Amino acid sequence: MSDNAYQNTRGNKDRSITNPDGRSTSDAIEDGGTMRPGHADGPFLIGENMTGGYGSGADILHNCTVAVDQGEIAVIVGPNGAGKSTAMKAVFGMLNLREGSVWIGGKDITDLTPQARVAQGMAFVPQTSNIFTSMTVEENLEMGAFLRRDDIRATIEQVYELFPILKDKRRQAAGELSGGQRQQVAVGRALMTQPQLLMLDEPTAGVSPIVMDELFDRIIEVARTGISILMVEQNARQALEIADKGYVLVQGRNGFTGTGQDLLADPEVRRSFLGG
């Protein structure tokens, strides 16, 4: 078997970029938040009945729920203005919820800051401004490990195995890379935190179809290590093809929920959101 952590089967709990000591997910999460009794059999991450918006403005999310199990890929799709990115930001603590809660690994993290959620195993890659353009590729990866106090070299090598082009360009300024390569740097930097949950906001925006397919392949490989993936994606059909679970949001509410394949086969979803 290859030593590359990304070549193992999906959902494994062996040594990997996310779980270097072979510990269980619950052991890997730092103290913080409130344990949810009886939640061990529930989803690893759930934003439950979320209602809220930005500042004192009108609510954008209305009783919205998204969840993802360990080692699975959950995709949020929907029309423009549906609240997809807002739902992602709500899960990461970037807006105040007026109602609802967020749980990870059975712990209530609703009141934690985004920084504290990183310590709980979350990593978030925004759609834009997601790299340090004046720094080299390798310096970007090193910045991703800012919370760590252990040796990060093995993790950097695992990122290079996942994205070989980054190793070739490790001394080059990240701002000089193509759009697809920049996205690889952004994902790689997030993986340097050894997250349990990786959140991606439209990772294929503005890239070619070939690069999109390559990024989706790499996302599948990340999920195979046991990392949960929560992704907002504008390329709905292609995203649902790789999704274990899909959420179609409509005006901040859950419109349709199911497996990726179920949603692809749903006539109303196809007609309204996938172009027939």
Side-chain angles (χ1 to χ4, degrees):
M1 179 179 291
S2 169
D3 291 334
N4 185 355
Y6 293 103
Q7 299 301 318
N8 300 321
T9 57
R10 176 177 291 191
N12 80 84
K13 299 179 180 64
D14 299 327
R15 292 174 60 88
S16 71
I17 196 169
T18 181
N19 196 2
D21 298 319
R23 299 174 295 173
S24 70
T25 300
S26 59
D27 291 338
I29 298 175
E30 301 288 340
D31 291 337
T34 303
M35 289 301 297
R36 183 177 193 176
H39 194 59
D41 295 330
F44 175 66
L45 178 282
I46 181 167
E48 194 168 31
N49 302 323
M50 298 183 297
T51 296
Y54 297 99
S56 58
D59 289 340
I60 297 174
L61 301 178
H62 305 276
N63 200 35
C64 174
T65 294
V66 295
V68 58
D69 292 322
Q70 184 178 1
E72 292 194 342
I73 299 172
V75 173
I76 305 172
V77 298
N80 290 337
K84 303 183 297 295
S85 293
T86 301
M88 177 85 72
K89 291 173 182 176
V91 168
F92 195 54
M94 297 177 70
L95 59 87
N96 293 325
L97 293 178
R98 292 186 245 289
E99 296 179 15
S101 58
V102 181
W103 301 76
I104 187 169
K107 292 186 177 182
D108 184 356
I109 61 169
T110 308
D111 296 328
L112 296 187
T113 64
Q115 293 90 333
R117 296 184 195 211
V118 172
Q120 293 295 310
M122 286 186 168
F124 176 56
V125 180
Q127 180 182 352
T128 60
S129 302
N130 53 21
I131 63 170
F132 299 103
T133 57
S134 62
M135 293 184 175
T136 67
V137 168
E138 191 152 297
E139 287 170 342
N140 269 269
L141 298 183
E142 291 169 348
M143 286 295 292
F146 70 99
L147 285 180
R148 294 176 55 180
R149 297 296 180 266
D150 59 330
D151 191 339
I152 66 173
R153 287 175 294 181
T155 311
I156 288 178
E157 288 304 313
Q158 288 177 332
V159 171
Y160 286 154
E161 289 182 35
L162 183 67
F163 300 119
I165 190 64
L166 298 188
K167 187 170 186 177
D168 296 339
K169 296 180 178 293
R170 63 188 182 276
R171 304 302 179 199
Q172 188 171 338
E176 298 174 0
L177 304 181
S178 69
Q181 292 166 357
R182 288 187 184 201
Q183 286 297 86
Q184 292 181 26
V185 173
V187 173
R189 186 162 60 87
L191 291 173
M192 290 299 299
T193 67
Q194 295 184 309
Q196 302 292 324
L197 171 71
L198 177 62
M199 296 186 291
L200 306 170
D201 191 358
E202 301 203 13
T204 68
V207 303
S208 69
I210 293 176
V211 173
M212 177 186 68
D213 289 342
E214 181 180 351
L215 282 170
F216 280 164
D217 286 344
R218 301 293 83 77
I219 288 168
I220 292 171
E221 290 186 38
V222 171
R224 285 175 177 158
T225 71
I227 297 176
S228 303
I229 308 288
L230 180 63
M231 177 169 62
V232 169
E233 183 51 56
Q234 63 176 359
N235 296 297
R237 186 183 298 273
Q238 294 88 340
L240 289 173
E241 287 176 353
I242 71 167
D244 297 289
K245 186 176 295 182
Y247 297 91
V248 180
L249 298 192
V250 181
Q251 295 182 341
R253 295 177 170 86
N254 290 91
F256 301 86
T257 300
T259 67
Q261 294 305 310
D262 286 345
L263 292 177
L264 286 169
D266 187 299
E268 188 170 355
V269 172
R270 291 172 62 89
R271 181 175 59 255
S272 301
F273 306 105
L274 302 179

